[in-house]
Amino acid sequence: MINQPIDNDRKPITSQLFDATPLLGDAEALRAQAAADGYLFLRGFLERDDVLQLRQEILQIVANDGLLNPQYPLMAGITDPEQIHRYSEEEISWIGSGIPQYLYYEVQKLECFHALAHHPKLIKLYESLFGETPFVHPRNISRVMLPHRKQKATPSHQDFLHIQGAENTWTCWMPVGDIPRKLGGLAILKSSFKEGLLGVTQAPGAGGLESILCGMDYEWQTTDYEAGDILTFHSHTVHKSTANQMENHIRISCDYRYQPISSPIEPGSLQPHGPYSWDDLYKGWNRSDLQHYWVNNAMEHTAFDESIRWQKDKIC
């Protein structure tokens, strides 16, 4: 009998994310933990109220479109299924945002959404991780995942496929509100970044690409997330979302990205996430320091390599 290679994508989630919060005062220990696992999970890293303020503003945009059930408090994020399903699968899967383009535009215009990426605690964290000044990518991403019957979970993937530039770029995934496991939070394939860049195959869900995990044997980890937690990981660390099993509940998260300022960047990371212009998004903002802050940085630019995204057959 021929043993078939393991498909690591099909292995169950078996353990809890390691909480690295006790290491925050020791930069060397923090870097060692990041080098071992390819991620850092920090429970209650930000003030809960700072994150919930963003949640309120995003949910108000959703509510203004009639998508929330008015019988429940706004912050509960409970949707009206009849209103949700007036949208097509194409509309709610647009660039992986979970909502139609015109609503995502309103989210991208939120000053507090972009400002949170520059929180002093986050800057200090990445200074410790990189050992130098971090650069905050302006292309911030929000996932406002409506509980639509056609909504797809994000497949197993590595962020480098989509952002490129510096390999030592780290994503900060932030739950915008509490995300228990049943709501479909993020799962990490512990230490998978050590495999380097993997081949990909076509898959449904945000990004449209699935990393091929045949023959690997790493451990999937997740947790019950709370507002204020952050999960940050290397651009080669494999991760995925899990299915939302909470009927009519919306799931909101943000992706912020950071890299050493001395490393190269792919110019697309300096553009908005979506077909927008910065000057349009900035209208009505109060903080000028958040606007075009990268223009005078003499960072090296690298070209986007489409060849690493060429899709292969997944044979396990």
Side-chain angles (χ1 to χ4, degrees):
M1 180 176 180
I2 300 175
N3 291 326
Q4 294 295 321
I6 295 170
D7 182 358
N8 212 154
D9 184 58
R10 295 181 177 274
K11 289 186 65 178
I13 299 171
T14 54
S15 67
Q16 184 94 352
L17 292 169
F18 174 77
D19 184 2
T21 302
L23 306 180
L24 283 174
D26 186 339
E28 185 176 343
L30 197 73
R31 286 194 289 269
Q33 182 65 36
D37 292 349
Y39 78 85
L40 294 169
F41 171 62
L42 300 168
R43 177 76 75 188
F45 182 75
L46 297 176
E47 291 293 330
R48 183 177 177 86
D49 287 348
D50 290 345
V51 179
L52 292 183
Q53 176 61 40
L54 174 58
R55 177 178 176 84
Q56 181 177 3
E57 295 203 25
I58 292 176
L59 284 175
Q60 191 60 62
I61 291 169
V62 176
N64 290 345
D65 198 52
L67 297 178
L68 294 187
N69 188 329
Q71 297 179 13
Y72 296 91
L74 175 76
M75 295 295 277
I78 298 177
T79 61
D80 180 336
E82 183 176 340
Q83 292 299 316
I84 291 289
H85 290 101
R86 74 177 195 253
Y87 293 125
S88 67
E89 180 178 2
E90 290 73 22
E91 287 174 302
I92 58 96
S93 61
W94 182 76
I95 65 171
S97 64
I99 51 177
Q101 180 175 348
Y102 71 94
L103 288 182
Y104 192 57
Y105 169 68
E106 297 298 326
V107 174
Q108 281 288 330
K109 287 175 64 177
L110 293 175
E111 182 176 0
C112 69
F113 164 55
H114 295 277
L116 195 55
H118 297 261
H119 194 288
K121 290 192 69 175
L122 288 169
I123 301 302
K124 184 177 180 181
L125 170 66
Y126 292 101
E127 283 178 348
S128 296
L129 187 60
F130 300 144
E132 65 172 278
T133 300
F135 177 74
V136 185
H137 286 204
R139 184 174 62 185
N140 300 314
I141 298 173
S142 179
R143 311 285 185 193
V144 187
M145 307 307 286
L146 300 178
H148 192 284
R149 65 175 69 96
K150 296 291 187 178
Q151 193 73 265
K152 302 291 194 305
T154 303
S156 302
H157 70 284
Q158 299 170 305
D159 280 352
F160 187 79
L161 292 165
H162 306 296
I163 58 178
Q164 303 199 25
E167 291 185 353
N168 195 28
T169 296
W170 283 63
T171 294
C172 175
W173 182 85
M174 187 182 300
V176 183
D178 296 341
I179 302 183
R181 297 183 197 209
K182 288 183 65 177
L183 189 52
L186 212 66
I188 287 283
L189 196 58
K190 177 184 175 182
S191 302
S192 56
F193 77 108
K194 295 177 181 179
E195 295 288 334
L197 190 63
L198 301 168
V200 296
T201 191
Q202 186 177 17
L209 297 175
E210 176 188 337
S211 293
I212 300 174
L213 307 179
C214 300
M216 299 180 190
D217 191 19
Y218 292 99
E219 183 180 22
W220 284 107
Q221 298 184 322
T222 192
T223 193
D224 293 308
Y225 298 98
E226 300 173 3
D229 297 347
I230 67 164
L231 174 62
T232 186
F233 47 89
H234 188 274
S235 71
H236 285 171
T237 297
V238 176
H239 56 287
K240 64 181 177 181
S241 68
T242 56
N244 183 353
Q245 302 172 57
M246 296 181 67
E247 188 177 13
N248 301 332
H249 284 67
I250 197 168
R251 189 194 76 221
I252 307 175
S253 63
C254 293
D255 294 344
Y256 299 131
R257 295 196 172 108
Y258 305 81
Q259 69 171 76
I261 199 165
S262 63
S263 298
I265 191 168
E266 198 281 312
S269 291
L270 303 175
Q271 299 300 318
H273 186 237
Y276 317 122
S277 73
W278 285 121
D279 288 336
D280 187 29
L281 296 180
Y282 291 154
K283 290 176 181 176
W285 285 25
N286 295 314
R287 289 182 55 181
S288 59
D289 62 307
L290 298 177
Q291 304 175 31
H292 300 297
Y293 58 86
W294 58 92
V295 170
N296 295 321
N297 286 344
M299 299 178 73
E300 178 188 353
H301 289 183
T302 59
F304 194 85
D305 182 3
E306 190 63 39
S307 70
I308 67 172
R309 295 162 53 87
W310 290 347
Q311 296 154 31
K312 307 172 183 177
D313 292 330
K314 177 183 176 182
I315 304 173
C316 287

